[in-house]
């Protein structure tokens, strides 16, 4: 008796976003599809694996052409892709087939084997999770009713079938189908429910990648960066510190607005990301940054953190100067930098110290700032 796995991977992944369809995106060290294939390779019940791919993705799947996989080209909807995959398996005439979404890379190997085992008793079997949340009906963002959840299941894959039975069911089926169980039931097949797994999530929305990585055992990543900056006093009537202009009898010299505090904070974020410093992203040799509002730099660093999957957990910045007095402005500085980074104000701290009239800050030659940033990838 032979059992084939049929993995459908020809979708466009519109809801997940990104530059390439979700099955080709990296996840915990390899592509989503590689996780899915590895799970099926590890399942004792599976003898052969077929995969359904989109012609548009050919550059991504060249490596799979040289493997032991049976390849098929997808159709316009999932059901069409499944039919193409079933046809590609016709030559080996498997007794059973387990049809699975490539977008479920965390499927437990034990679940694959459990579905296959249930096919010893039933013509069809698929994993389902009893619905545990209360169910509502709603219109325009308002609850219009509640529904009884008893007897309801959330459907998962792999969905297993006797091969000849599902081929015949698909041949007879017309119209859209939520999954292969719907097709099988339309043909009169009895489908056993195997207990599903909470970890068997289908990557659908952008945030699902982080959830999948957590399931796959990617540990939470916490990073710390430090920043330090100095600007010299010169002529002027104000200084800009942490985004707030403070009247003063001197100004700070620099290529941009010389916001020494915001520069230290920005460099701390770049440091945590191992992404160099402000000078690397905004070269002082480039005239477009002359007199620039340093908010541009901080916004860029915070955006880079977000794009890399991190959130800024907290910032602590210390300004070192005798004058001007920072205390009366610290709350405004905190609010301004929190706003630029799109953070809650209580994640941003601004404080100050003198250097007891010692050194260049003590002599009033300039202002120094240091900052620490902690970034967390959940
Ligand atoms: N699939 C497929 N062929 C299609 C449509 C979907 O092989 N024409 C596959 C997807 O690659 C995915 C699985 O069916 O592994 C489940 O579909 P879904 O999660 O909806 O993925 P996509 O259709 O790619 O995503 P979206 O609906 O967000 O575009
Ligand atoms: Mg889809």
């Amino acid at each position: 008796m032979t059992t084939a796995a049929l993995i459908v991977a020809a979708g466009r992944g519109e809801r997940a976003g990104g530059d390439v369809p979700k099955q080709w995106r990296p996840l915990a060290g390899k592509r989503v599809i590689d996780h899915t294939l590895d799970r099926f390779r590890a399942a004792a019940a599976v003898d052969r694996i077929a995969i359904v791919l989109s012609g548009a993705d050919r550059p991504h799947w060249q490596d799979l052409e040289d493997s032991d996989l049976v390849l098929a080209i997808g159709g316009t909807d999932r059901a069409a892709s499944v039919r193409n995959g079933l046809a590609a398996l016709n030559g080996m005439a498997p007794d059973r087939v387990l049809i699975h979404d490539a977008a479920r890379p965390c499927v437990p190997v034990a679940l694959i084997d459990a579905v296959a085992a249930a096919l010893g008793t039933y013509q069809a079997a698929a994993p389902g999770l009893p619905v545990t949340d209360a169910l509502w009906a709603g219109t325009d963002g308002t609850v219009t009713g509640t529904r009884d959840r008893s007897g309801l299941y959330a459907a998962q894959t792999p969905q297993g079938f006797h091969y000849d039975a599902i081929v015949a069911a698909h041949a007879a089926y017309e119209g859209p189908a939520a999954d292969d169980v719907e097709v099988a039931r339309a043909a009169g097949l009895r489908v056993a429910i195997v207990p599903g797994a909470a970890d068997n999530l289908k990557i659908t929305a952008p945030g699902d990648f982080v959830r999948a990585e957590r399931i796959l055992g990617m540990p939470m990543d916490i990073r710390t960066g430090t920043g330090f900056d100095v600007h010299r006093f010169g002529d002027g009537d104000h200084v800009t510190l942490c985004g707030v202009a403070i009247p003063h009898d001197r100004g700070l010299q620099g290529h941009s607005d010389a916001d020494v505090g915001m520069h230290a904070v920005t460099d701390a974020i770049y440091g945590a990301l191992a992404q160099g410093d402000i000078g690397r992203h905004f070269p002082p040799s480039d005239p477009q940054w002359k007199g620039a509002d340093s908010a541009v730099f901080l916004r860029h660093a915070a955006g880079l953190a977000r794009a890399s999957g991190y959130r800024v957990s907290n910032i602590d910045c210390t300004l070192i100067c005798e004058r001007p007095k920072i205390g009366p402005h610290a709350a405004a500085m905190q609010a301004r930098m929190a706003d630029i980074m799109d953070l809650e104000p209580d994640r941003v701290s601004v404080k100050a110290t003198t250097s007891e009239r010692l050194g260049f800050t003590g002599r009033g030659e300039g202002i120094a700032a240091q900052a620490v940033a902690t970034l967390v990838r959940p």
Side-chain angles (χ1 to χ4, degrees):
M1 196 202 55
T2 55
T3 299
L6 173 55
I7 296 169
V8 284
R12 300 292 81 211
E14 306 278 355
R15 287 168 291 176
D19 298 336
V20 297
K22 57 194 178 185
Q23 58 271 29
W24 307 111
R25 282 180 49 186
L27 178 77
K30 50 192 177 188
R31 297 172 303 185
V32 169
I33 190 85
D34 298 319
H35 287 281
T36 310
L37 288 169
D38 285 352
R39 297 287 163 126
F40 279 84
R41 287 192 178 109
V46 174
D47 303 303
R48 198 75 199 270
I49 303 175
I51 182 163
V52 185
L53 302 156
S54 166
D57 294 341
R58 190 177 294 267
H60 295 294
W61 48 261
Q62 260 155 3
D63 63 305
L64 301 181
E65 286 182 279
D66 300 326
S67 67
D68 55 352
L69 301 172
V70 176
L71 304 191
I73 294 294
T76 50
D77 60 12
R78 186 184 179 283
S81 292
V82 169
R83 280 195 292 276
N84 291 356
L86 290 172
L89 282 169
N90 193 39
M92 71 169 282
D95 299 293
R96 294 160 185 187
V97 60
L98 308 180
I99 304 173
H100 185 72
D101 296 329
R104 293 185 189 267
C106 312
V107 56
V109 174
L111 179 59
I112 301 171
D113 285 330
V115 171
L119 294 176
T121 314
Y122 301 91
Q123 277 189 305
L129 266 189
V131 174
T132 52
D133 294 324
L135 291 179
W136 297 335
T139 315
D140 299 332
T142 313
V143 178
T144 54
T146 52
R147 299 283 182 271
D148 184 6
R149 68 175 169 240
S150 58
L152 294 184
Y153 293 82
Q156 300 186 337
T157 70
Q159 300 183 347
F161 308 92
H162 287 197
Y163 176 76
D164 292 339
I166 194 68
V167 168
H170 265 284
Y173 196 84
E174 276 175 35
D179 59 9
D180 301 291
V181 164
E182 186 172 359
V183 173
R185 283 187 30 80
L189 298 187
R190 192 158 167 244
V191 184
I193 302 172
V194 171
D199 283 354
N200 188 17
L201 108 130
K202 184 171 69 120
I203 294 179
T204 305
D208 291 339
F209 285 89
V210 169
R211 290 177 58 208
E213 284 194 331
R214 204 176 299 145
I215 292 167
L216 291 167
M218 279 277 282
M220 175 191 255
D221 192 9
I222 301 175
R223 291 169 166 235
T224 303
T226 70
F228 179 77
D229 197 25
V230 173
H231 280 272
R232 177 194 295 274
F233 277 123
D235 291 340
D237 60 4
H238 75 282
V239 293
T240 302
L241 294 173
C242 298
V244 174
I246 303 171
H248 194 52
D249 52 10
R250 316 216 63 196
L252 287 174
Q253 295 180 339
H255 189 72
S256 63
D257 61 7
D259 189 335
V260 62
M262 204 177 287
H263 293 178
V265 170
T266 305
D267 274 351
I269 296 174
Y270 286 137
L273 295 169
Q275 286 280 353
D277 58 14
I278 297 178
R280 177 156 134 199
H281 298 276
F282 301 92
S285 54
D286 188 336
Q288 68 168 308
W289 309 122
K290 187 158 177 48
D293 179 351
S294 294
V296 173
F297 312 151
L298 183 56
R299 203 172 285 122
H300 176 265
L304 196 60
R306 256 192 305 277
S308 311
Y310 291 87
R311 64 180 176 76
V312 176
S313 181
N314 83 301
I315 296 283
D316 186 17
C317 175
T318 303
L319 297 165
I320 306 160
C321 60
E322 306 293 325
R323 287 192 324 118
K325 285 270 164 269
I326 302 301
H329 306 282
M333 294 174 175
Q334 173 185 15
R336 175 68 185 137
M337 292 208 295
D339 185 49
I340 294 167
M341 291 181 279
D342 201 11
L343 293 180
E344 303 89 347
D346 68 355
R347 293 185 180 277
V348 181
S349 147
V350 177
K351 57 197 197 305
T353 183
T354 70
S355 53
E356 297 289 337
R357 307 240 175 110
L358 298 171
F360 68 87
T361 51
R363 291 189 297 272
E365 295 165 8
I367 298 183
Q370 61 182 37
V372 178
T374 301
L375 271 50
V376 175
R377 194 190 60 196

